[in-house]
Amino acid sequence: MDAHRRHVLAMLGAASTLLAGCSDLADEGDQSLEPSDEEANEDSNADDDTDGAAEDDETDEETTPAWLEGGGLPSYASVLPSTDALVDAETTSREYFFTAVDLATIVGTLDDNPGEGTVPDDPLLQNPIAVVSLGIYGLFAFGSSPIAQVQAEAEGESDDAALVYVDGAYALYGAYDLETARSGLEAEGYELQAEAEDGADDFVVFADDASNEVVGVTDDAFVYAFGADQARSLAAVSAIVETNVGSQSPAHESDATLETLLRAGANTGITSCLAGAGESLTDLEPGDQVQEDDVAFDFSPFEGATGIVQGLQLVESESNARVIVTYESETAVDAERLESGLGGEARSFDLETGGSAVLVTAVYGTDPIEE
């Protein structure tokens, strides 16, 4: 396992492909960084309608920016368990962290030259690269296990396939034949740990004591975890599959900030999200607050926020970073900290406030890691 970790860290440079040539991200037209012309016209018409109106007639809706209102939830929101589902008797409530990346993007990095593994200092680039590196680490471990063949045989076609990481477990979101997966895992000697009760949507959870692997499968997700603490892996995988089939409530139903971030954030390409479970994020020192499997994230510019969702996409041969940051109140917004801590390697940088939230966008060259 240590060898895998060293290999993943060396492959940080391979993630430059995400910034230089991932054309499938450029096709995601719904994720534009600026309001559409139609939205702009609607805003203009709204202004015209308020001519002569008193200031005290203004509504909260008029002051809510379009980028915070967002749209629908991403499909993978159904595999994000609530904090309560992930907390055991020995664990206290904690910040909620997950990453998501579309499979086409992450698989495309595996065949690239890893280079020297240089990591940018700019969190707008460092964090998306860390998302990919974390995913690559999981795929390496997955590929060395017999469950990889089981997953391949059970997988169907999906338009929104993604790799999601949450609480030490990886969820391959897409489409799966549950019975094919069940029979394949049984044939490989994995032991059934749990399955849906009669009348409920189907899921299964299997484990292997020799490898400490835990695998859960639903019609929408193939979930796996590995490591020394099999009990923790079993709890995480079980929470994910039970959430996906509706036996438990998903995270966004009990966390308004997280729901806002999921709806408003860039939900395709490369995404990382950190929410404070109703509290402000504190002690976010660079590289200290989130270190998953030796891959470090830097959320230090977001100290004092209640949550952030960060994405990176390629649009017309330019790497576009986008972050939405929420705070407890308008007076708590720390624009100066965001401006000083983000975008140091960007060609252009923009910060827009809207009440207690901030939108940060930045544009980079086609290969900023090597610039």
Side-chain angles (χ1 to χ4, degrees):
M1 183 176 296
D2 288 340
H4 283 315
R5 292 184 178 185
R6 288 193 296 270
H7 193 179
V8 170
L9 295 176
M11 289 188 69
L12 284 169
S16 62
T17 301
L18 304 177
L19 312 174
C22 192
S23 59
D24 53 329
L25 295 183
D27 295 332
E28 300 293 342
D30 293 338
Q31 301 297 329
S32 60
L33 299 179
E34 299 294 340
S36 65
D37 291 339
E38 181 179 353
E39 291 171 332
N41 290 335
E42 289 176 355
D43 291 342
S44 177
N45 292 335
D47 291 339
D48 292 340
D49 292 339
T50 60
D51 286 345
E55 290 185 5
D56 57 3
D57 288 336
E58 293 181 358
T59 65
D60 291 340
E61 186 173 329
E62 289 174 323
T63 60
T64 301
W67 46 263
L68 188 60
E69 292 177 349
L73 293 165
S75 299
Y76 61 74
S78 65
V79 298
L80 298 176
S82 68
T83 301
D84 289 342
L86 296 173
V87 170
D88 58 34
E90 299 179 355
T91 307
T92 58
S93 180
R94 58 188 180 275
E95 297 162 350
Y96 198 95
F97 172 72
F98 78 85
T99 70
V101 56
D102 68 85
L103 285 181
T105 295
I106 197 167
V107 171
T109 68
L110 295 174
D111 296 328
D112 293 304
N113 184 345
E116 297 180 357
T118 302
V119 183
D121 291 330
D122 188 344
L124 292 181
L125 297 178
Q126 178 182 344
N127 292 341
I129 292 171
V131 170
V132 174
S133 300
L134 184 61
I136 290 173
Y137 168 57
L139 290 180
F140 277 153
F142 180 70
S144 63
S145 167
I147 63 174
Q149 184 60 36
V150 175
Q151 185 270 343
E153 292 174 353
E155 187 178 21
E157 294 185 3
S158 174
D159 293 332
D160 48 8
L163 178 62
V164 179
Y165 176 91
V166 58
D167 203 43
Y170 293 86
L172 287 157
Y173 184 86
Y176 292 92
D177 186 303
L178 184 60
E179 291 309 311
T180 298
R182 179 197 290 265
S183 61
L185 290 167
E186 289 174 344
E188 293 294 342
Y190 287 68
E191 296 289 335
L192 181 66
Q193 305 295 308
E195 60 184 327
E197 298 178 357
D198 293 341
D201 289 334
D202 285 341
F203 72 86
V204 293
V205 178
F206 284 80
D208 177 59
D209 290 339
S211 63
N212 276 343
E213 292 174 329
V214 178
V215 184
V217 189
T218 73
D219 290 339
D220 300 322
F222 195 99
V223 187
Y224 64 103
F226 48 90
D229 191 345
Q230 190 183 60
R232 180 191 172 188
S233 295
L234 182 60
V237 171
S238 298
I240 292 170
V241 297
E242 290 179 25
T243 299
N244 182 236
V245 300
S247 297
Q248 298 191 39
S249 298
H252 64 271
E253 290 189 1
S254 58
D255 189 331
T257 296
L258 184 60
E259 180 175 6
T260 296
L261 295 173
L262 283 169
R263 291 185 182 278
N267 295 317
T268 58
I270 311 163
T271 301
S272 59
C273 181
L274 181 66
E279 303 292 336
S280 296
L281 300 168
T282 59
D283 300 324
L284 300 185
E285 295 299 324
D288 290 340
Q289 73 291 354
V290 179
Q291 286 199 23
E292 300 291 347
D293 293 315
D294 290 347
V295 178
F297 292 73
D298 182 6
F299 293 116
S300 57
F302 311 111
E303 179 88 21
T306 57
I308 73 106
V309 63
Q310 177 176 353
L312 183 71
Q313 298 175 353
L314 184 69
V315 179
E316 297 179 354
S317 300
E318 289 184 337
S319 301
N320 286 0
R322 183 176 188 266
V323 186
I324 290 178
V325 192
T326 58
Y327 294 85
E328 287 183 338
S329 65
E330 186 172 352
T331 57
V333 171
D334 194 345
E336 182 177 350
R337 186 182 186 92
L338 295 175
E339 290 176 338
S340 63
L342 300 172
E345 301 180 27
R347 276 197 330 216
S348 65
F349 180 89
D350 183 69
L351 185 148
E352 178 182 346
T353 59
S356 61
V358 177
L359 170 67
V360 175
T361 57
V363 179
Y364 296 85
T366 55
D367 195 356
I369 292 178
E370 296 182 359
E371 286 182 353

